[in-house]
Amino acid sequence: MRASDETEDFHSQRAARGDGLHLGAKYKVFTRNLLTLSVLVQNRRKDKMKILMFPARTQLVSFENTSSDVLKGRSEMDKLSTFQVNEHTLAVMGVAEDPWSKNRRVLLKNFNGIDIKEGKPLPPSVHDVERGIVSLRPGEYVVFSAQFRLGDGDTITTDWEAFERLSCASLAFSLWEQGADPCLLDDILAQFLGRNGHAPEGLRMPFDHPTMVDFYHDYLVYGEEAFIRSHYGAERVEILKKSSRMVELLGKGLTRQLEDSMDMDAMIAQLRASGLQDMADGLDECRRRLRER
């Protein structure tokens, strides 16, 4: 007996979801440890040479005494390495990789004032949008964002806690001689960058920590709500509060449905194993409150 096409589609979709959850758990992609870095690079060379930028090869470097924090919770997919400086170990983090698409988590956002949007024609200077490879003439600039995995989602939970453990970023670039294949140069870089025992060799971009302390002052002293109010206005605070209340109500309704249809203990255990600690805690707390009523 042959199953209907609809039944086969259902089972194939269910298997695909299962594979996705398996990959997520294996590579700990649900852990809340992604740091997003936005970067603006302009070619200001005085020799008028064109340059190639390779955003997918950007690296972050820890301080001597913070390498253990950023290396916690690493999976086999994480692009992490170490090198020695005066007998001290520093950690190097490469751009995070998506376990499903296998692409680096990098995004070109703007070239010379023109936003780069999906479905729109790309500027001729963009050689590979997935890897973010772009060439810059003198005076031209590009804005890109890249994401990195730092820590186990426990020791480091905010942008500030991530940045206070990082000394600099290293931007991969090269001079561009006409005729050289930009994508081939990126492939060559990928073979050499991130090797254990080797310090980053790109353009060093140190982080301005005093400025960061000023920026996050309200958050550090008065909390998240005060930070949002001072930086984004009272309206954004009210939106956040409404969203939180809505999420709580939806969570309670979902919890009731889940308790009626499946093993909640098993589901909470699976969430924890997949790195979704906050979600598991929230679901467990919702269940406790409902039982107390």
Side-chain angles (χ1 to χ4, degrees):
M1 179 180 289
R2 186 178 183 275
S4 68
D5 291 340
E6 289 82 1
T7 303
E8 286 188 344
D9 288 343
F10 170 78
H11 287 300
S12 63
Q13 291 170 9
R14 186 174 181 181
R17 288 196 296 271
D19 289 343
L21 288 173
H22 172 71
L23 279 176
K26 179 180 179 182
Y27 296 121
K28 303 179 182 180
V29 298
F30 301 122
T31 303
R32 295 180 59 185
N33 64 349
L34 275 177
L35 174 69
T36 301
L37 188 69
S38 292
V39 182
L40 185 153
V41 181
Q42 184 178 33
N43 182 356
R44 294 185 176 182
R45 294 185 65 87
K46 292 181 171 54
D47 58 11
K48 307 300 181 182
M49 289 288 293
K50 291 176 67 175
I51 63 171
L52 283 170
M53 294 300 305
F54 306 96
R57 309 303 166 195
T58 304
Q59 296 173 300
L60 301 182
V61 183
S62 74
F63 287 109
E64 296 175 354
N65 61 343
T66 61
S67 58
S68 59
D69 287 347
V70 300
L71 293 174
K72 283 181 180 177
R74 64 188 299 179
S75 76
E76 61 186 77
M77 176 166 278
D78 293 329
K79 306 301 179 184
L80 304 176
S81 60
T82 60
F83 67 99
Q84 299 286 320
V85 175
N86 298 326
E87 299 183 356
H88 294 284
T89 299
L90 281 72
V92 180
M93 287 70 52
V95 177
E97 186 175 293
D98 188 288
W100 294 281
S101 69
K102 305 302 182 185
N103 291 329
R104 296 293 182 98
R105 299 180 70 97
V106 65
L107 177 68
L108 290 180
K109 301 171 71 174
N110 186 286
F111 179 83
N112 265 1
I114 300 173
D115 290 337
I116 297 175
K117 298 182 179 180
E118 187 175 357
K120 299 293 184 180
L122 294 171
S125 294
V126 176
H127 303 279
D128 189 311
V129 71
E130 295 294 339
R131 291 185 277 183
I133 304 172
V134 60
S135 57
L136 298 175
R137 294 184 175 88
E140 291 183 331
Y141 68 90
V142 64
V143 179
F144 69 88
S145 63
Q147 292 187 315
F148 305 82
R149 294 195 180 279
L150 279 74
D152 56 4
D154 184 21
T155 306
I156 304 172
T157 59
T158 65
D159 288 351
W160 161 248
E161 290 172 333
F163 279 119
E164 70 177 353
R165 289 167 168 82
L166 298 171
S167 63
C168 67
S170 177
L171 307 180
F173 81 101
S174 72
L175 298 180
W176 190 29
E177 300 290 347
Q178 201 64 34
D181 184 343
C183 294
L184 178 59
L185 291 174
D186 182 73
D187 291 336
I188 294 172
L189 277 175
Q191 301 300 316
F192 291 96
L193 291 179
R195 294 179 298 167
N196 264 322
H198 292 265
E201 298 179 6
L203 177 65
R204 185 174 181 272
M205 183 179 70
F207 294 124
D208 186 348
H209 291 90
T211 298
M212 289 183 183
V213 171
D214 290 340
F215 181 79
Y216 287 107
H217 176 267
D218 287 346
Y219 189 104
L220 296 170
V221 177
Y222 304 111
E224 182 181 32
E225 184 175 318
F227 173 79
I228 295 174
R229 187 182 303 278
S230 64
H231 285 71
Y232 305 106
E235 184 178 351
R236 184 72 67 88
V237 174
E238 292 306 312
I239 292 174
L240 178 65
K241 288 180 178 179
K242 290 178 181 178
S243 298
S244 298
R245 287 195 292 269
M246 184 177 296
V247 169
E248 184 178 357
L249 290 173
L250 290 172
K252 289 178 180 178
L254 179 60
T255 301
R256 290 192 184 96
Q257 294 179 27
L258 291 174
E259 282 203 299
D260 293 338
S261 62
M262 65 188 306
D263 184 345
M264 283 286 288
D265 289 331
M267 181 176 184
I268 290 173
Q270 179 62 36
L271 289 172
R272 296 192 196 285
S274 300
L276 292 169
Q277 186 69 34
D278 289 347
M279 186 179 292
D281 290 343
L283 196 57
D284 202 16
E285 178 65 15
C286 281
R287 179 175 63 171
R288 185 187 64 77
R289 291 180 181 177
L290 288 172
R291 286 176 176 177
E292 290 176 351
R293 292 183 176 182

